[in-house]
Amino acid sequence: MKKSGIILGIIVIVALAIIFGITQTKKEPGEIKIGAILPLTGDNASYGIALKKGMDLAIGEINAKGAKGIDNQKLTVVFEDSQGDPQKAVSALNKLIAVDKVPMVIGDMFSAGTLAIAPIAEKKKTVLLSPTASAVELTNAGDYIFRIYPSDSYDGMYLANFTRNKLKVNSVSIIYLQVASISAVTEVFKKEFESSGGKVLSMDSYKEGDADFRSQLIKAKEVNADFVFIPGYLKEMATLLRQAKEIGVNTRFLSISTFYDPKIFELAGNAAEGVLFSVPSFDVRSEAPEIKNFVSKYKAKYGNEPDILGGYGYDAVNIAEIALQKGNISPDNIKKALYAIKNFPGVTGLTSFDSNGDVLKELKIMQVQDGKFVPFE
């Protein structure tokens, strides 16, 4: 009886050990941690918050999949605030790499911040995926640097061709924000516009934070150009448009996708009426299944329709998920998986990466009509 009791005890202990081991194994999924750098406070916070809303929606959907998600592991994104400041973006990236030890970072939003952190990401072999940076220089920033927003060279050429060939515009004045990405798209626009026979009658710049654009506007009014091209950031563009109305500049205005923010109506009021601007192909009214699904879930979560920045945040996380699905999560494997992506059907268009980590996407023209953003016909 004593021997039988010992054997029985051993069996019980082994059984309990197996059960305990299984329980521990299935207790909870592991965690995959990546970073994100966005302007979440300061003058440009509205852009970063819009991106983060789309990202948070995608993160929630991925984690709700459970075992069908990223190998039954929870996706955690550590958000850092760049405030739109390149130096703060550098500090954020160094922290994410050294402290959080992430293999991948989504960010920064603006080109200046992305250009500042790209050399560090490349040196440290950390994958950097920007949702919206457009600077031409990022094309050659390195093997670990990717973006899902078209390069300024593409945007500038598209706008110049649209203005000359679609609108039959012969002359423009240019008033632009003096930061890397805006300067780049401006130069490409000017070169392309002039090479097709158009004339740039005046060209002036300003700095971020400037609040008086009357001298530049008066010059544009005096040369009597057909259009005024005003690529910049929301706050300054809104002020410029209000002052243009005050001094009687009746010329039509053209801008870029930074204009595509409903806050412009609050900042500029009816001075924004009639402005044309380029944006990637995204339409909340689209019948495409991926867009209908996104819009429905976004409205359910936030109570309003998404803008294009929410779409880019959403796409960035879902593209990251594809790269993280491949197993053995390391920067090199993530990088290889991103290069392998072909025609990912995102809500902001089909995404494929070329050998430089660049993407080309279809653009379209929107306009402000009766206080709303509508497609230009």
Side-chain angles (χ1 to χ4, degrees):
M1 288 295 294
K2 188 175 181 181
K3 185 175 180 180
S4 299
I6 292 171
I7 293 171
L8 180 61
I10 291 171
I11 292 171
V12 170
I13 291 169
V14 171
L16 288 172
I18 291 171
I19 293 170
F20 180 76
I22 292 172
T23 302
Q24 288 298 98
T25 301
K26 293 184 177 180
K27 186 176 181 180
E28 58 183 56
E31 178 186 60
I32 295 174
K33 186 187 294 184
I34 64 173
I37 302 173
L38 301 173
L40 299 173
T41 61
D43 288 343
N44 298 309
S46 63
Y47 293 124
I49 291 170
L51 272 166
K52 187 175 183 296
K53 284 183 176 180
M55 293 177 67
D56 286 340
L57 179 60
I59 294 165
E61 289 179 6
I62 291 167
N63 289 333
K65 295 177 186 176
K68 294 181 180 180
I70 307 175
D71 194 26
N72 198 30
Q73 298 185 77
K74 178 183 178 182
L75 175 63
T76 298
V77 180
V78 181
F79 285 93
E80 296 291 334
D81 182 11
S82 70
Q83 297 181 12
D85 182 336
Q87 194 53 52
K88 286 184 171 62
V90 167
S91 298
L93 180 65
N94 285 329
K95 182 260 183 184
L96 287 169
I97 294 173
V99 178
D100 299 293
K101 302 188 184 304
V102 299
M104 177 182 191
V105 174
I106 296 174
D108 197 354
M109 177 177 184
F110 297 121
S111 291
T114 310
L115 286 168
I117 62 179
I120 301 169
E122 184 68 16
K123 182 178 179 180
K124 298 290 187 180
K125 296 186 177 181
T126 300
V127 174
L128 186 66
L129 175 66
S130 175
T132 50
S134 57
V136 175
E137 296 88 341
L138 284 172
T139 295
N140 298 310
D143 203 29
Y144 290 82
I145 314 303
F146 297 80
R147 57 175 157 187
I148 61 172
Y149 194 90
S151 165
D152 287 327
S153 59
Y154 181 62
D155 200 7
M157 286 188 288
Y158 177 85
L159 279 168
N161 288 326
F162 165 78
T163 309
R164 282 290 291 146
N165 302 324
K166 178 75 173 179
L167 298 181
K168 308 300 180 184
V169 169
N170 294 316
S171 64
V172 298
S173 287
I174 300 174
I175 305 173
Y176 69 99
L177 174 62
Q178 203 171 43
V179 297
S181 61
I182 305 297
S183 296
V185 73
T186 301
E187 286 300 324
V188 173
F189 174 89
K190 179 177 182 292
K191 181 178 179 180
E192 191 72 17
F193 187 78
E194 291 180 330
S195 69
S196 62
K199 293 183 179 181
V200 176
L201 301 182
S202 67
M203 184 168 177
D204 292 285
S205 66
Y206 60 88
K207 295 180 180 179
E208 189 173 2
D210 284 357
D212 189 350
F213 308 98
R214 291 176 179 85
S215 62
Q216 298 100 317
L217 286 165
I218 289 170
K219 185 187 293 186
K221 183 179 181 180
E222 288 175 345
V223 299
N224 196 29
D226 297 328
F227 259 78
V228 182
F229 183 40
I230 55 165
Y233 293 160
L234 203 66
K235 183 179 178 181
E236 290 81 8
M237 287 190 293
T239 303
L240 184 153
L241 289 169
R242 290 200 314 272
Q243 292 175 359
K245 186 173 183 180
E246 289 169 6
I247 63 177
V249 178
N250 297 317
T251 310
R252 294 193 71 183
F253 291 89
L254 177 73
S255 192
I256 58 175
S257 62
T258 49
F259 196 85
Y260 198 22
D261 187 328
K263 194 174 181 181
I264 193 68
F265 303 125
E266 173 190 334
L267 297 175
N270 60 10
E273 189 69 16
V275 175
L276 302 177
F277 55 97
S278 63
V279 294
S281 186
F282 171 75
D283 185 356
V284 293
R285 297 168 297 180
S286 171
E287 291 298 314
E290 60 273 11
I291 296 179
K292 288 183 69 175
N293 180 60
F294 167 63
V295 171
S296 174
K297 290 183 176 180
Y298 190 99
K299 288 174 70 176
K301 183 175 177 67
Y302 299 113
N304 57 282
E305 290 184 342
D307 60 14
I308 194 167
L309 292 177
Y312 268 102
Y314 187 77
D315 277 356
V317 171
N318 283 316
I319 288 168
E321 180 196 14
I322 293 173
L324 296 167
Q325 286 281 14
K326 303 302 180 181
N328 188 17
I329 295 166
S330 69
D332 279 339
N333 284 333
I334 294 170
K335 177 187 70 173
K336 291 175 184 175
L338 286 174
Y339 277 124
I341 290 175
K342 301 298 178 187
N343 293 325
F344 167 74
V347 299
T348 62
L350 297 177
T351 294
S352 301
F353 295 105
D354 66 13
S355 60
N356 295 311
D358 272 349
V359 65
L360 288 178
K361 287 182 175 177
E362 180 186 359
L363 296 178
K364 67 179 182 180
I365 299 294
M366 299 286 286
Q367 65 178 334
V368 177
Q369 188 176 86
D370 298 325
K372 297 178 181 178
F373 295 131
V374 299
F376 176 79
E377 301 298 340

